Amino acid sequence: EKMGSSLLKRLELETELRHAIERGQLELHFQPEIDLATNRIVAAEALVRWNHPEFGAVSPNTFIPLAEETGLILEIGLWVLREAVRSTVRWLEEMPGLDLTVSVNLSVRQYLHPGIVDDVASVLRETGIDAHRLRLEITETILMDDKASSRAVLQQLNSLGIQLAIDDFGSGYSNLGYLKRLPVQTLKIDQIFIKGLAHDRHDSAIVAAITNLAHQIGLRVTAEGVESIEQMEKVRAIGCDFAQGYFFARPMSGS
């Protein structure tokens, strides 16, 4: 009975998710990224939220995997990309002198989609944004196989002039070999290592090692999940370039 109820709930969610965009139920929230040297906001990560009139706020942990499994992530991902860039263009027009990059997460299915490069190029043309103000974040899981085809996609995206980042670095296999072959500019250290910085010397050593390695090969480093002043001071002392987390701000509406 519980299995049947769970299946029906999943089918209902899937049906509703298929209409979420056209019904205006999806919304973007943005979480700022801080330059630890200047304390200025230099980037904002776009995060999609689903507000359903009956179900209420549906957790991304629920609907993102569902979208990935069903293929709806392609439509949702393109919507997120387009709306995130449009919001950034608006901010830049409203606030002259603002220097900001917008980050958009790229799912496995999006990355493997044959039209991903054309989709990104189309959004750049539509919005007129300077390409360097867009950063796509890709997890280690996507890059794990280190196939030639995978590298080719990154090279094509990089040729558009956008930035590329490896998200949640350290949470996968951390194959250091691909770092020297891939056209990425930023490593985002997974928050699992940031949580223990204030009391765990092993986490401190790992974050310091990743940061030093990244700097040696010309990459910038963002510490994810910074939630306390102790963590912030630690990542700054270690030499991380940027930081992101609840200590600075929770994700917020861009409107």
Side-chain angles (χ1 to χ4, degrees), residues 8 44 57-58 62 66 68 71 73 84 95 97 112 127 139 141 144 150 154 174 198 212 218:
L8 284 174
V58 183
T62 298
L66 179 60
E68 187 84 17
I73 195 66
M95 294 175 277
L112 297 177
T127 61
T139 63
T141 306
M144 206 160 52
S150 177
L154 285 183
S174 299
N212 290 333

PDB file of all heavy atoms in Angstrom, residues 8 44 57-58 62 66 68 71 73 84 95 97 112 127 139 141 144 150 154 174 198 212 218:
ATOM      1  N   LEU A   8       2.011   6.722  -6.867  1.00  0.00           N
ATOM      2  CA  LEU A   8       0.992   7.665  -7.320  1.00  0.00           C
ATOM      3  C   LEU A   8       1.441   9.105  -7.077  1.00  0.00           C
ATOM      4  O   LEU A   8       1.226   9.983  -7.910  1.00  0.00           O
ATOM      5  CB  LEU A   8      -0.329   7.397  -6.583  1.00  0.00           C
ATOM      6  CG  LEU A   8      -1.119   6.174  -7.048  1.00  0.00           C
ATOM      7  CD1 LEU A   8      -2.329   5.945  -6.136  1.00  0.00           C
ATOM      8  CD2 LEU A   8      -1.562   6.343  -8.495  1.00  0.00           C
ATOM      9  N   ALA A  44      26.835  35.328  -8.497  1.00  0.00           N
ATOM     10  CA  ALA A  44      25.595  34.851  -7.899  1.00  0.00           C
ATOM     11  C   ALA A  44      25.233  33.526  -8.560  1.00  0.00           C
ATOM     12  O   ALA A  44      25.218  33.425  -9.788  1.00  0.00           O
ATOM     13  CB  ALA A  44      24.474  35.864  -8.099  1.00  0.00           C
ATOM     14  N   ALA A  57       5.930  24.637  -1.409  1.00  0.00           N
ATOM     15  CA  ALA A  57       7.308  24.647  -1.894  1.00  0.00           C
ATOM     16  C   ALA A  57       7.820  23.204  -1.977  1.00  0.00           C
ATOM     17  O   ALA A  57       7.956  22.523  -0.958  1.00  0.00           O
ATOM     18  CB  ALA A  57       8.187  25.468  -0.951  1.00  0.00           C
ATOM     19  N   VAL A  58       8.093  22.755  -3.195  1.00  0.00           N
ATOM     20  CA  VAL A  58       8.599  21.399  -3.401  1.00  0.00           C
ATOM     21  C   VAL A  58      10.122  21.438  -3.338  1.00  0.00           C
ATOM     22  O   VAL A  58      10.759  22.243  -4.021  1.00  0.00           O
ATOM     23  CB  VAL A  58       8.147  20.834  -4.759  1.00  0.00           C
ATOM     24  CG1 VAL A  58       8.609  19.396  -4.924  1.00  0.00           C
ATOM     25  CG2 VAL A  58       6.625  20.927  -4.899  1.00  0.00           C
ATOM     26  N   THR A  62      13.717  16.806  -4.251  1.00  0.00           N
ATOM     27  CA  THR A  62      12.646  15.942  -4.753  1.00  0.00           C
ATOM     28  C   THR A  62      12.454  16.113  -6.252  1.00  0.00           C
ATOM     29  O   THR A  62      12.420  15.128  -6.999  1.00  0.00           O
ATOM     30  CB  THR A  62      11.316  16.267  -4.033  1.00  0.00           C
ATOM     31  OG1 THR A  62      11.456  16.007  -2.642  1.00  0.00           O
ATOM     32  CG2 THR A  62      10.186  15.431  -4.597  1.00  0.00           C
ATOM     33  N   LEU A  66      13.801  13.972 -10.118  1.00  0.00           N
ATOM     34  CA  LEU A  66      12.670  13.554 -10.949  1.00  0.00           C
ATOM     35  C   LEU A  66      12.789  14.142 -12.353  1.00  0.00           C
ATOM     36  O   LEU A  66      12.567  13.452 -13.352  1.00  0.00           O
ATOM     37  CB  LEU A  66      11.361  14.000 -10.292  1.00  0.00           C
ATOM     38  CG  LEU A  66      10.072  13.678 -11.035  1.00  0.00           C
ATOM     39  CD1 LEU A  66       9.924  12.167 -11.219  1.00  0.00           C
ATOM     40  CD2 LEU A  66       8.871  14.239 -10.289  1.00  0.00           C
ATOM     41  N   GLU A  68      15.531  15.006 -13.778  1.00  0.00           N
ATOM     42  CA  GLU A  68      16.672  14.344 -14.417  1.00  0.00           C
ATOM     43  C   GLU A  68      16.253  12.994 -14.991  1.00  0.00           C
ATOM     44  O   GLU A  68      16.595  12.651 -16.136  1.00  0.00           O
ATOM     45  CB  GLU A  68      17.800  14.166 -13.393  1.00  0.00           C
ATOM     46  CG  GLU A  68      19.097  13.648 -13.962  1.00  0.00           C
ATOM     47  CD  GLU A  68      19.977  14.730 -14.552  1.00  0.00           C
ATOM     48  OE1 GLU A  68      19.763  15.906 -14.266  1.00  0.00           O
ATOM     49  OE2 GLU A  68      20.890  14.384 -15.316  1.00  0.00           O
ATOM     50  N   GLY A  71      13.829  13.434 -18.074  1.00  0.00           N
ATOM     51  CA  GLY A  71      14.290  14.240 -19.194  1.00  0.00           C
ATOM     52  C   GLY A  71      13.756  15.660 -19.165  1.00  0.00           C
ATOM     53  O   GLY A  71      14.128  16.493 -20.006  1.00  0.00           O
ATOM     54  N   ILE A  73      14.558  17.840 -17.252  1.00  0.00           N
ATOM     55  CA  ILE A  73      15.646  18.733 -16.853  1.00  0.00           C
ATOM     56  C   ILE A  73      16.170  19.530 -18.041  1.00  0.00           C
ATOM     57  O   ILE A  73      16.715  20.630 -17.863  1.00  0.00           O
ATOM     58  CB  ILE A  73      16.802  17.924 -16.204  1.00  0.00           C
ATOM     59  CG1 ILE A  73      17.759  18.848 -15.452  1.00  0.00           C
ATOM     60  CG2 ILE A  73      17.534  17.093 -17.243  1.00  0.00           C
ATOM     61  CD1 ILE A  73      17.174  19.514 -14.261  1.00  0.00           C
ATOM     62  N   ALA A  84      18.280  33.227 -15.696  1.00  0.00           N
ATOM     63  CA  ALA A  84      19.415  33.680 -14.890  1.00  0.00           C
ATOM     64  C   ALA A  84      20.205  34.754 -15.619  1.00  0.00           C
ATOM     65  O   ALA A  84      20.595  35.778 -15.034  1.00  0.00           O
ATOM     66  CB  ALA A  84      20.324  32.500 -14.538  1.00  0.00           C
ATOM     67  N   MET A  95      22.235  48.901 -12.361  1.00  0.00           N
ATOM     68  CA  MET A  95      23.310  49.294 -11.449  1.00  0.00           C
ATOM     69  C   MET A  95      24.625  49.452 -12.210  1.00  0.00           C
ATOM     70  O   MET A  95      25.447  48.531 -12.242  1.00  0.00           O
ATOM     71  CB  MET A  95      23.458  48.258 -10.330  1.00  0.00           C
ATOM     72  CG  MET A  95      22.258  48.194  -9.407  1.00  0.00           C
ATOM     73  SD  MET A  95      22.369  46.859  -8.173  1.00  0.00           S
ATOM     74  CE  MET A  95      21.778  45.460  -9.155  1.00  0.00           C
ATOM     75  N   GLY A  97      28.291  50.030 -13.206  1.00  0.00           N
ATOM     76  CA  GLY A  97      29.492  49.797 -12.412  1.00  0.00           C
ATOM     77  C   GLY A  97      29.500  48.442 -11.719  1.00  0.00           C
ATOM     78  O   GLY A  97      30.528  48.031 -11.163  1.00  0.00           O
ATOM     79  N   LEU A 112      25.243  16.049 -21.469  1.00  0.00           N
ATOM     80  CA  LEU A 112      25.312  15.010 -22.499  1.00  0.00           C
ATOM     81  C   LEU A 112      24.390  15.291 -23.688  1.00  0.00           C
ATOM     82  O   LEU A 112      24.467  14.611 -24.710  1.00  0.00           O
ATOM     83  CB  LEU A 112      24.953  13.648 -21.887  1.00  0.00           C
ATOM     84  CG  LEU A 112      25.892  13.135 -20.796  1.00  0.00           C
ATOM     85  CD1 LEU A 112      25.377  11.819 -20.215  1.00  0.00           C
ATOM     86  CD2 LEU A 112      27.316  12.969 -21.322  1.00  0.00           C
ATOM     87  N   THR A 127      20.267  37.470 -25.269  1.00  0.00           N
ATOM     88  CA  THR A 127      20.350  38.422 -24.160  1.00  0.00           C
ATOM     89  C   THR A 127      21.385  39.508 -24.383  1.00  0.00           C
ATOM     90  O   THR A 127      21.303  40.580 -23.780  1.00  0.00           O
ATOM     91  CB  THR A 127      20.688  37.691 -22.854  1.00  0.00           C
ATOM     92  OG1 THR A 127      21.961  37.033 -22.994  1.00  0.00           O
ATOM     93  CG2 THR A 127      19.620  36.655 -22.517  1.00  0.00           C
ATOM     94  N   THR A 139      29.710  19.157 -12.174  1.00  0.00           N
ATOM     95  CA  THR A 139      30.210  18.340 -11.069  1.00  0.00           C
ATOM     96  C   THR A 139      31.288  17.374 -11.543  1.00  0.00           C
ATOM     97  O   THR A 139      31.389  17.054 -12.726  1.00  0.00           O
ATOM     98  CB  THR A 139      29.080  17.528 -10.425  1.00  0.00           C
ATOM     99  OG1 THR A 139      28.547  16.615 -11.393  1.00  0.00           O
ATOM    100  CG2 THR A 139      27.976  18.443  -9.918  1.00  0.00           C
ATOM    101  N   THR A 141      31.318  14.284 -11.100  1.00  0.00           N
ATOM    102  CA  THR A 141      30.703  13.058 -11.596  1.00  0.00           C
ATOM    103  C   THR A 141      30.617  13.066 -13.117  1.00  0.00           C
ATOM    104  O   THR A 141      30.865  12.059 -13.773  1.00  0.00           O
ATOM    105  CB  THR A 141      29.291  12.891 -11.013  1.00  0.00           C
ATOM    106  OG1 THR A 141      29.361  12.976  -9.597  1.00  0.00           O
ATOM    107  CG2 THR A 141      28.690  11.556 -11.416  1.00  0.00           C
ATOM    108  N   MET A 144      34.065  12.362 -14.648  1.00  0.00           N
ATOM    109  CA  MET A 144      34.783  11.240 -14.069  1.00  0.00           C
ATOM    110  C   MET A 144      35.448  10.348 -15.113  1.00  0.00           C
ATOM    111  O   MET A 144      36.570   9.887 -14.948  1.00  0.00           O
ATOM    112  CB  MET A 144      33.833  10.410 -13.212  1.00  0.00           C
ATOM    113  CG  MET A 144      34.488   9.629 -12.122  1.00  0.00           C
ATOM    114  SD  MET A 144      33.280   9.168 -10.857  1.00  0.00           S
ATOM    115  CE  MET A 144      31.990   8.393 -11.817  1.00  0.00           C
ATOM    116  N   SER A 150      33.807  14.201 -23.827  1.00  0.00           N
ATOM    117  CA  SER A 150      33.499  15.088 -22.711  1.00  0.00           C
ATOM    118  C   SER A 150      34.373  16.328 -22.761  1.00  0.00           C
ATOM    119  O   SER A 150      33.899  17.449 -22.579  1.00  0.00           O
ATOM    120  CB  SER A 150      33.702  14.351 -21.386  1.00  0.00           C
ATOM    121  OG  SER A 150      33.484  15.206 -20.294  1.00  0.00           O
ATOM    122  N   LEU A 154      33.453  20.592 -23.381  1.00  0.00           N
ATOM    123  CA  LEU A 154      33.980  21.686 -22.568  1.00  0.00           C
ATOM    124  C   LEU A 154      34.769  22.677 -23.415  1.00  0.00           C
ATOM    125  O   LEU A 154      34.690  23.889 -23.210  1.00  0.00           O
ATOM    126  CB  LEU A 154      34.872  21.140 -21.446  1.00  0.00           C
ATOM    127  CG  LEU A 154      34.164  20.481 -20.259  1.00  0.00           C
ATOM    128  CD1 LEU A 154      35.189  20.056 -19.219  1.00  0.00           C
ATOM    129  CD2 LEU A 154      33.141  21.413 -19.634  1.00  0.00           C
ATOM    130  N   SER A 174      37.873  12.932  -7.454  1.00  0.00           N
ATOM    131  CA  SER A 174      38.930  13.944  -7.492  1.00  0.00           C
ATOM    132  C   SER A 174      40.112  13.496  -8.355  1.00  0.00           C
ATOM    133  O   SER A 174      41.263  13.470  -7.920  1.00  0.00           O
ATOM    134  CB  SER A 174      39.414  14.262  -6.063  1.00  0.00           C
ATOM    135  OG  SER A 174      38.368  14.767  -5.288  1.00  0.00           O
ATOM    136  N   ALA A 198      36.817  24.450  11.466  1.00  0.00           N
ATOM    137  CA  ALA A 198      37.085  25.088  12.759  1.00  0.00           C
ATOM    138  C   ALA A 198      37.661  24.122  13.792  1.00  0.00           C
ATOM    139  O   ALA A 198      38.292  24.558  14.763  1.00  0.00           O
ATOM    140  CB  ALA A 198      35.812  25.726  13.304  1.00  0.00           C
ATOM    141  N   ASN A 212      46.146  25.189  -2.689  1.00  0.00           N
ATOM    142  CA  ASN A 212      47.522  25.361  -3.182  1.00  0.00           C
ATOM    143  C   ASN A 212      47.692  24.746  -4.563  1.00  0.00           C
ATOM    144  O   ASN A 212      48.325  25.343  -5.443  1.00  0.00           O
ATOM    145  CB  ASN A 212      48.514  24.739  -2.198  1.00  0.00           C
ATOM    146  CG  ASN A 212      48.610  25.522  -0.900  1.00  0.00           C
ATOM    147  OD1 ASN A 212      48.359  26.726  -0.871  1.00  0.00           O
ATOM    148  ND2 ASN A 212      48.974  24.854   0.182  1.00  0.00           N
ATOM    149  N   GLY A 218      46.911  27.689 -11.880  1.00  0.00           N
ATOM    150  CA  GLY A 218      46.216  28.858 -12.402  1.00  0.00           C
ATOM    151  C   GLY A 218      44.716  28.878 -12.226  1.00  0.00           C
ATOM    152  O   GLY A 218      44.021  29.601 -12.955  1.00  0.00           O
TER     153      GLY A 218
END
